[in-house]
Amino acid sequence: MRNRVFIVSLCFLLLLPVNEISAGIENALDESTGYEGSIFQGNDENSGQSSSNEAWNSLSEATGLNEDRSSRDKDPNSQDDSVRVGCSDYVLTGERLREIRSEFMYWFFDKGGDDDEGDYLKEIQASTPQTNKNFNFQLPFFGFRFNQTRVSINGYLEFTDPPERYTYPLVFPVKCWPKENDPSFIGIFFSKCRIGEIWSTDRDRRKPGVYFRIERDLRTRKDQLGVEMRERLKWDVREGMSGAEGFVPKHAITVTWKNVSFTGGIDNSLYTTNTFQMVLATDEANTYAMFNYPRVEWTSHTEAGGDTVHGDGGISAFVGFNAGNGTGSYEYKPFSQTPHIRDLTRAGWVNGFPGRHMFKIDEKIIAATCS
């Protein structure tokens, strides 16, 4: 764990009894010793846990040292590249920022919180393929604004009701709207999925399924995860999308589908799995979507013509966005519903990563263009 420097003003030292000062600092140090080991455990959306450096923040506010000395927009490549929100708060160094930005996947956790499930959506099972989630903020998407969503095992976030059934290939907007519902959704891998299995040799032992995490109010967060999420996402978006040079995320949503297989396969097909991750960043005016694809082993479920062993053939998954109510759609070509969908893990190259793709999605959908 990094060393933390605690500064108490001289005037405060003169005003308080020595035993009160010592007790306050010792309490803060005791809590901070387990900070890095515990900060990434649990979901801001679910757990409601306070920051583990709360005691030291209170002490700093009492001394008047918690004033804003923000340098949030400092270039991470500059000589003095530390990001400090307040003198008692977590300091993100340039070295640490480069370290976390070198990681392909964003954070998600299977431990922590009141039920020790972390970000894992245990309510998503074969009998309940989706669950509702509230944002408590406005997410601009495709000309509309939403404050809640349905998270589906089937590789998408849905904002409005779908039609009774789908036929393949999928076509959006739904042609028969308004007689049939035309759903608003963000589809990272829109296909019929089921929770798969992991091999005994897999390094990532987190259980298969869907993970959902919200990080709110990032601009005013002072804890380690809040500061690191804001700065990591800010620079990834700024460097990944043209025209995003001044973007600072206010809220973020991370949804990870880990080791999901296809429906209709034989039992052994549960070990043929895909893993993909959607990261949404918004300042409630602009919204960006990041799609990360570390693993694509199957392309189609059996209803769409895929075989029962490997999930190959037929109509591949839909990748793209639909505004809903017959207003517009964006299909991510040449990958969506074609054999080229396997190339998602090798294409993109946003932030220098093969398998990372990025879009601006608040009004017209704009894809990042990277060589």
Side-chain angles (χ1 to χ4, degrees):
M1 176 178 177
R2 297 180 183 81
N3 294 328
R4 298 185 181 275
V5 180
F6 298 105
I7 305 171
V8 180
S9 64
L10 179 60
C11 62
F12 184 68
L13 291 173
L14 294 174
L15 290 173
L16 283 181
V18 173
N19 59 341
E20 291 186 21
I21 298 171
S22 301
I25 295 178
E26 287 174 1
N27 288 337
L29 286 170
D30 288 341
E31 290 198 5
S32 68
T33 55
Y35 184 53
E36 286 192 352
S38 64
I39 187 169
F40 297 126
Q41 305 300 319
N43 190 337
D44 176 68
E45 191 268 341
N46 290 323
S47 68
Q49 295 176 345
S50 60
S51 170
S52 59
N53 64 351
E54 183 177 352
W56 178 247
N57 285 339
S58 299
L59 180 62
S60 299
E61 289 171 1
T63 64
L65 292 174
N66 212 14
E67 59 184 304
D68 183 15
R69 300 180 184 178
S70 174
S71 57
R72 297 173 190 165
D73 294 331
K74 186 178 290 294
D75 190 322
N77 297 315
S78 64
Q79 185 175 3
D80 181 15
D81 49 10
S82 297
V83 175
R84 182 188 293 272
V85 182
C87 68
S88 67
D89 308 318
Y90 172 70
V91 177
L92 175 62
T93 65
E95 180 182 2
R96 173 61 179 165
L97 179 58
R98 287 186 287 272
E99 177 187 345
I100 60 179
R101 291 194 64 212
S102 69
E103 299 170 0
F104 179 58
M105 296 285 278
Y106 272 65
W107 300 294
F108 66 99
F109 311 103
D110 63 348
K111 300 293 183 183
D114 295 337
D115 55 3
D116 201 32
E117 294 282 354
D119 306 323
Y120 188 77
L121 296 180
K122 61 182 179 181
E123 59 267 43
I124 290 185
Q125 300 293 334
S127 58
T128 53
Q130 64 183 29
T131 186
N132 295 324
K133 288 293 179 180
N134 294 320
F135 297 153
N136 293 329
F137 58 82
Q138 295 292 317
L139 180 77
F141 170 61
F142 226 144
F144 298 93
R145 300 174 72 85
F146 300 97
N147 60 11
Q148 60 182 356
T149 190
R150 288 189 288 264
V151 184
S152 173
I153 181 65
N154 296 323
Y156 59 83
L157 298 187
E158 186 177 69
F159 302 105
T160 59
D161 292 336
E164 290 186 4
R165 65 184 63 84
Y166 287 110
T167 58
Y168 302 94
L170 297 174
V171 177
F172 299 102
V174 171
K175 292 181 178 180
C176 296
W177 183 86
K179 291 183 178 180
E180 295 184 10
N181 291 332
D182 181 37
S184 177
F185 68 83
I186 302 173
I188 183 172
F189 201 90
F190 193 134
S191 187
K192 286 194 174 182
C193 308
R194 58 177 176 167
I195 297 175
E197 300 285 351
I198 57 176
W199 295 98
S200 59
T201 54
D202 285 352
R203 293 180 60 186
D204 188 348
R205 305 307 299 172
R206 286 174 291 190
K207 55 188 173 184
V210 184
Y211 294 77
F212 179 87
R213 185 175 192 87
I214 287 184
E215 298 292 349
R216 300 189 186 93
D217 302 316
L218 289 172
R219 293 182 179 180
T220 56
R221 293 273 291 274
K222 303 174 183 180
D223 59 288
Q224 181 178 352
L225 182 56
V227 173
E228 291 191 347
M229 185 68 175
R230 181 187 67 237
E231 296 301 313
R232 178 185 185 182
L233 194 51
K234 179 181 77 177
W235 288 108
D236 280 352
V237 170
R238 287 185 179 187
E239 295 180 3
M241 288 294 304
S242 176
E245 291 80 8
F247 178 72
V248 180
K250 188 175 180 182
H251 312 289
I253 301 166
T254 305
V255 190
T256 307
W257 289 260
K258 181 182 183 295
N259 295 108
V260 293
S261 186
F262 56 94
T263 62
I266 62 175
D267 288 347
N268 201 47
S269 69
L270 288 172
Y271 291 91
T272 301
T273 64
N274 296 345
T275 295
F276 41 88
Q277 181 184 72
M278 177 193 305
V279 183
L280 303 179
T282 186
D283 59 7
E284 297 189 278
N286 304 281
T287 305
Y288 297 90
M290 178 191 299
F291 291 175
N292 293 324
Y293 297 93
R295 180 176 191 163
V296 175
E297 294 184 346
W298 62 270
T299 63
S300 316
H301 60 91
T302 57
E303 285 184 32
D307 73 81
T308 61
V309 179
H310 303 294
D312 288 329
I315 306 299
S316 301
F318 179 94
V319 180
F321 311 84
N322 195 46
N325 296 336
T327 55
S329 67
Y330 178 96
E331 188 168 6
Y332 190 33
K333 294 294 187 179
F335 310 104
S336 177
Q337 300 194 102
T338 75
H340 295 294
I341 197 165
R342 289 189 179 275
D343 295 333
L344 284 170
T345 60
R346 298 184 291 270
W349 286 96
V350 173
N351 306 131
F353 289 110
R356 176 172 291 179
H357 308 252
M358 192 176 291
F359 311 83
K360 192 174 191 296
I361 64 171
D362 45 274
E363 293 290 341
K364 180 181 178 181
I365 307 299
I366 303 172
T369 55
C370 300
S371 58

